[in-house]
Structure formats: structure tokens, C-alpha cells
Amino acid sequence: MESILYTVTVYTENQVGLLNQISIIFGRRRLNIESLSVSASAIEGIHKFTITTNSDRDTIQKVVQQIEKRVDVLRAFFYIEDEIFYQEVALYKVATEKLLDDSGIEELIRRHNARILEVNRTYTVIEKSGHTEETQQLFEELSKFGVMQFVRSGRVAITKSTVEHVSLFLEAQECRRLSTKE
């Protein structure tokens, strides 16, 4: 089966140890987590894990099913790149002196739609958001200036769907809860 990059989203309550439990599921299937981002979601009290991994469809379906068996997990979904909007953020620290010596740096930063966050006598910090290929390309072009530090965030993603699937799930749960009270 063909291995492609999948984005897995997991909606959870914010519980200690859950990240470890989720990462073990990937490890058991011998899947490497390429990127990981965790944050609060649009739903109060619910957190969203966004995980990318290379896998085949059958394996990723099994991973998502196993993740959903965790008590603190509300729902988990997987997507291919065409089904989501996604971005990463990258930060680059470059020696200010080297940047000042090159007149093309301003054009380079504009061409990559990057922005300068900090400039001091020692270093300049540049920020770029985009897809992995875009942030990597800027890293490669800045490398001639001697990148002192480089970091890229995990993927953040939202679906192209007009509905939030976890919201539908929570609404259905609430309807079931109310119908059992009657």
C-alpha cells in the first residue's frame, strides 16, 4: 500500500499522560510522528492534537480507531492534504552583521513573505509561516548568512468541511444524554 502524509486530529479533554498514550499507539504501528501541535480548540474545555505521519490508509484508520478507544478522547479523524488548510511557523536567528553586509536581504524577506521580529547588534530573528517546503526554502536561502538557530512548529490545520465534525459528535452526545433523562 502507498504511504502518504496524513494529518490526524484528536479532540480530547485536557488530561495528564494522554500525549504519551497517543504516541504509544503510533509507536506500536511503527509510525514516526513527523509533527505534533496541541492547543485549545474552538470548543471550551476541549483540546486538539494535530499530528502528521506517513502511513497507508488502512494503517491510519486502525490508528485512529485505537486512539478513539482512549477514555479521554472524544473523537479522532484523519485527513489528506487536499481536505485541510494548514500552516507551520518557522523562526530563524541570523547574525545581524551578516545581514547588514548583504543588500539583497530585504528582497529575500519580502519574496518569502517573512517578517523580522527582533533586531539587535548580535542577531536578527525572522518569522515565516507557510508549508514545510516554503519554510525549508527560506532556511536554505538564509543558510548563506549562517543561520544560528532554526525551529519549525508542528502543523496547525483546519478542515475544508463546512461543519466541525467533533461539534456534530458532541451535539449527538448531548441529545442522547437528554433523551435518557426523559
Side-chain angles (χ1 to χ4, degrees):
M1 293 193 160
E2 183 184 355
S3 180
I4 63 170
L5 186 68
Y6 283 96
T7 300
V8 176
T9 57
V10 182
Y11 292 89
T12 72
E13 297 172 358
N14 191 16
Q15 298 295 323
V16 173
L18 188 57
L19 176 57
N20 184 48
Q21 293 174 31
I22 290 172
S23 65
I24 286 171
I25 293 169
F26 282 86
R28 285 186 186 143
R29 297 276 180 185
R30 304 192 54 76
L31 295 175
N32 186 45
I33 293 175
E34 299 294 330
S35 76
L36 169 68
S37 176
V38 183
S39 69
S41 73
I43 304 165
E44 188 177 336
I46 306 299
H47 279 65
K48 180 181 180 180
F49 289 64
T50 304
I51 304 164
T52 61
T53 190
N54 285 297
S55 179
D56 59 75
R57 187 173 181 86
D58 185 50
T59 302
I60 204 68
Q61 283 177 319
K62 290 175 183 172
V63 165
V64 167
Q65 288 170 350
Q66 281 189 292
I67 289 171
E68 284 191 326
K69 290 179 182 176
R70 310 290 352 139
V71 172
D72 300 320
V73 171
L74 301 173
R75 285 300 310 262
F77 305 94
F78 67 92
Y79 304 96
I80 59 173
E81 291 192 354
D82 291 349
E83 298 171 321
I84 57 175
F85 296 107
Y86 62 94
Q87 293 285 296
E88 297 175 350
V89 176
L91 299 177
Y92 315 80
K93 186 190 284 184
V94 181
T96 299
E97 182 180 325
K98 293 201 178 190
L99 293 179
L100 293 175
D101 290 345
D102 191 305
S103 60
I105 191 63
E106 184 178 347
E107 190 275 328
L108 175 66
I109 291 170
R110 285 184 188 194
R111 185 166 29 92
H112 283 278
N113 292 317
R115 68 187 190 124
I116 294 176
L117 296 180
E118 170 74 22
V119 178
N120 62 40
R121 293 181 196 277
T122 310
Y123 59 82
T124 299
V125 177
I126 300 166
E127 174 192 53
K128 162 84 178 132
S129 63
H131 295 169
T132 304
E133 303 79 27
E134 297 167 322
T135 58
Q136 185 64 32
Q137 179 65 39
L138 180 55
F139 171 74
E140 290 168 10
E141 292 185 41
L142 286 172
S143 289
K144 71 179 182 179
F145 299 102
V147 175
M148 299 163 66
Q149 291 182 35
F150 170 67
V151 65
R152 183 174 27 238
S153 72
R155 175 178 284 190
V156 291
I158 57 174
T159 67
K160 291 182 178 180
S161 172
T162 56
V163 296
E164 178 64 86
H165 298 290
V166 75
S167 295
L168 297 175
F169 169 76
L170 292 173
E171 288 170 12
Q173 293 289 90
E174 183 63 16
C175 286
R176 279 194 283 281
R177 188 181 68 77
L178 292 175
S179 69
T180 58
K181 281 188 170 183
E182 294 173 1

